[in-house]
Amino acid sequence: MKSFYRMWSIMRVGIVIVLFTVLTLPSSGQNTFEETIEKITSDNVRGYIQPMLDGFGANINSGFPGSARIKKMGLTFKLQFVGMGTLIGDAEKSYMATPPEHIAQEPVQTATVFGGDGAVVEHPVYPLNYKFQNGLIDASIMPFAIPQLTIGDVFGTQMTIRYVPIPEIDDFPKVNLFGIGVRHSISQYLPLVPVDLAAGVFYQTFSIGDHLDSKATALTAQVSKTFLVLTLYGGLQYETTDVNLSYTYTGPLPPGDQSDRNVSIDLKGENKFRATAGVSLALGILHLHTDISVGKVTVISAGLGFGI
Amino acid sequence: MIRFGYSMIMISTLIITLFITGGCDVTDPTFIIDTAVTATIEIDEETSFYQGSEEVNLQELLDGIDGPVIDINVFNITLQIERLGNTPEDLSLNGSLSINGNTLMSLGDVPISVFANERSIFDDALVNQYNFSVDNDGLQYLLALFDDLPTVNVSVAGEASGNPVNVRVLTKLHAQVSTE
């Protein structure tokens, strides 16, 4: 029991380091991410952070066990630490936004959260200008990391569980992640097929502080072939990510706007389908894997696991 | 065996952390925050002649902003006129609004209903449809004050088309503050 809690403490430290780096924004001032969002109007927030949500959705729907080899009856107990990253390209660094009505109505290209400087639009007559938000993260990859536990095999079925509860730490908000998935062996019904086949479904919830709630689902079809300690695997996946961003807007309302200051924005990740290819290595109780997924965005993941 | 497991966990956590943080640099961000300050002038005159003023501290634009101010720019000025008491519904105003005595905007027989809701003074429809204008010199004077953000006197004066004149004039200055 003592050793378990020590292992858990070490893992928590790692996860806190990772999530803190990704989710908090260092500042010599004292504006936290949450306080900043509260001062941005809902129209700007949507386009500005969509790429981050797409990356988040792609990440959270990655890293599931890749090998389709599931015994009809047996013992699988594997704890994995999976790191994943969505590649950030030029398409994720800008979006088309419409300036305030009194300045101009032509959409302008401006920076997303991954972009550079925001666009500045000048009034055609008066000495006024409007600045769109600057990008905040200079990244070629949007990272994430998750621990997961896989257990089985019962009637050709394995279960995968993800659970990360992190309490509020100073300016870093509370984070909760929970995921559960089930994979079932198809090849057990097709003994003559020379590869392993499996199908799975995964469901996850993720929340940050009081502002962000998300749900993700994934349906997978997997194929793999094992050569001694080496397994080659691939698959197709359909996935959805739904995010609700809610906050109380504290900035000034646009002219004539009498709407409620309580803002609730529903956003959907734009990733729907992906194809995955990867390789895993089983060295006794040590398991390594890496794979790449290609869809609307490209995601790479790598994991280290312990168990049988 | 247990020590080996601990070592593996520590090493794997560090490897994963380095892997995923290596490709991501969080910039020293400059946030752009929308802010505003409002001058509210109550007018209650029995005759058709009206005037009123209020002192407004432009430093209020920085309320709630904790970090250092890198830049501040004005992107809009709005006007709203609320009809109060027995003020005729079809009342029109002739007059001007000034900042420290410098005319910012002029109204020539403009119905107060045009400004029943908050409206940008830079709206093209105001110039095209009504005898309304923004004084560029007055605007330049106002923008020059943003180097120091002093307290300014906002005043309105003129003659209405009828009486009594019981209105609330709200002038809101919308700005953006760039901060770290």
Side-chain angles (χ1 to χ4, degrees):
Chain A
M1 185 63 72
K2 212 172 168 183
S3 57
F4 171 78
Y5 281 116
R6 205 178 293 182
M7 286 169 59
W8 177 242
S9 298
I10 293 169
M11 184 179 75
R12 281 187 62 171
V13 168
I15 297 301
V16 169
I17 291 170
V18 164
L19 288 178
F20 185 84
T21 305
V22 172
L23 295 172
T24 57
L25 304 169
S27 171
S28 58
Q30 286 72 47
N31 287 313
T32 63
F33 178 73
E34 290 181 311
E35 289 175 353
T36 303
I37 288 293
E38 288 168 355
K39 292 182 171 67
I40 303 176
T41 64
S42 58
D43 288 342
N44 287 343
V45 165
R46 192 181 294 272
Y48 183 72
I49 68 170
Q50 183 70 47
M52 176 177 269
L53 294 170
D54 291 344
F56 164 74
N59 280 341
I60 203 170
N61 279 316
S62 299
F64 302 125
S67 172
R69 195 177 203 186
I70 304 172
K71 300 190 201 72
K72 197 174 275 189
M73 296 296 287
L75 179 61
T76 295
F77 189 91
K78 196 183 303 177
L79 180 63
Q80 289 177 291
F81 300 92
V82 186
M84 57 279 283
T86 297
L87 302 183
I88 306 299
D90 289 339
E92 284 73 46
K93 295 185 178 180
S94 68
Y95 75 105
M96 298 304 291
T98 302
E101 193 174 333
H102 68 286
I103 291 183
Q105 283 303 283
E106 291 298 316
V108 295
Q109 189 171 51
T110 187
T112 67
V113 65
F114 295 120
D117 292 335
V120 180
V121 184
E122 295 186 354
H123 195 284
V125 176
Y126 300 103
L128 307 172
N129 60 66
Y130 183 80
K131 298 179 182 178
F132 287 93
Q133 197 66 240
N134 295 322
L136 298 177
I137 301 174
D138 180 16
S140 56
I141 186 168
M142 179 178 166
F144 202 64
I146 298 175
Q148 64 186 22
L149 176 68
T150 300
I151 55 177
D153 303 338
V154 178
F155 297 113
T157 305
Q158 282 183 351
M159 176 183 290
T160 298
I161 300 170
R162 293 174 170 179
Y163 182 54
V164 180
I166 301 178
E168 184 176 341
I169 305 171
D170 292 333
D171 284 341
F172 180 50
K174 179 178 65 174
V175 176
N176 275 302
L177 182 149
F178 172 76
I180 188 165
V182 173
R183 294 187 310 135
H184 186 70
S185 169
I186 303 300
S187 49
Q188 64 177 317
Y189 307 111
L190 305 168
L192 298 179
V193 174
V195 295
D196 295 309
L197 302 169
V201 57
F202 296 87
Y203 175 75
Q204 299 172 91
T205 62
F206 181 73
S207 65
I208 300 177
D210 296 325
H211 292 311
L212 187 145
D213 281 298
S214 70
K215 294 179 177 52
T217 57
L219 301 173
T220 68
Q222 299 172 317
V223 58
S224 67
K225 183 70 178 177
T226 299
F227 306 92
L228 297 176
V229 298
L230 183 75
T231 298
L232 303 176
Y233 63 86
L236 298 174
Q237 179 168 297
Y238 169 79
E239 61 194 52
T240 65
T241 308
D242 297 293
V243 176
N244 176 265
L245 186 65
S246 60
Y247 57 96
T248 300
Y249 175 59
T250 59
L253 290 170
D257 191 336
Q258 305 293 318
S259 57
D260 190 354
R261 285 182 173 274
N262 294 320
V263 180
S264 179
I265 306 171
D266 291 318
L267 293 149
K268 290 184 180 296
E270 295 184 350
N271 318 298
K272 296 297 179 196
F273 293 97
R274 68 167 73 187
T276 301
V279 59
S280 65
L281 200 61
L283 302 170
I285 65 166
L286 182 66
H287 301 266
L288 304 167
H289 85 265
T290 185
D291 58 52
I292 183 168
S293 297
V294 178
K296 183 174 187 298
V297 294
T298 300
V299 187
I300 55 175
S301 76
L304 186 66
F306 304 93
I308 52 174
Chain B
M1 187 64 181
I2 294 174
R3 282 185 188 167
F4 176 75
Y6 289 163
S7 301
M8 285 297 102
I9 291 171
M10 290 180 66
I11 292 170
S12 64
T13 303
L14 286 171
I15 289 172
I16 292 173
T17 304
L18 289 171
F19 159 69
I20 61 178
T21 58
C24 181
D25 291 323
V26 183
T27 63
D28 191 11
T30 301
F31 300 110
I32 297 172
I33 298 171
D34 290 358
T35 182
V37 64
T38 304
T40 304
I41 302 172
E42 300 254 354
I43 296 173
D44 189 5
E45 303 282 359
E46 291 300 319
T47 70
S48 60
F49 293 95
Y50 66 90
Q51 65 177 13
S53 67
E54 182 178 88
E55 301 281 309
V56 175
N57 186 356
L58 295 181
Q59 287 284 339
E60 291 179 13
L61 289 165
L62 305 182
D63 285 353
I65 294 172
D66 300 320
V69 175
I70 299 169
D71 185 36
I72 181 167
N73 65 288
V74 175
F75 70 93
N76 201 5
I77 300 173
T78 60
L79 179 66
Q80 183 178 5
I81 302 176
E82 295 177 346
R83 186 174 69 89
L84 306 173
N86 295 322
T87 302
E89 283 186 29
D90 58 353
L91 191 77
S92 298
L93 295 181
N94 288 281
S96 62
L97 184 145
S98 303
I99 308 294
N100 291 345
N102 295 274
T103 301
L104 177 62
M105 63 184 92
S106 300
L107 292 80
D109 202 27
V110 177
I112 60 171
S113 59
V114 171
F115 294 101
N117 296 312
E118 184 184 359
R119 186 171 185 171
S120 172
I121 68 173
F122 305 106
D123 184 350
D124 287 340
L126 285 175
V127 174
N128 296 336
Q129 297 174 22
Y130 304 98
N131 191 359
F132 177 90
S133 63
V134 174
D135 189 304
N136 213 36
D137 290 338
L139 180 61
Q140 295 279 11
Y141 171 80
L142 173 62
L143 297 179
L145 295 175
F146 276 74
D147 291 336
D148 300 315
L149 295 179
T151 296
V152 298
N153 178 273
V154 180
S155 60
V156 295
E159 184 179 8
S161 61
N163 59 280
V165 183
N166 187 5
V167 297
R168 183 181 296 124
V169 179
L170 299 105
T171 309
K172 186 185 285 186
L173 193 151
H174 295 257
Q176 291 179 300
V177 177
S178 298
T179 180
E180 290 180 352

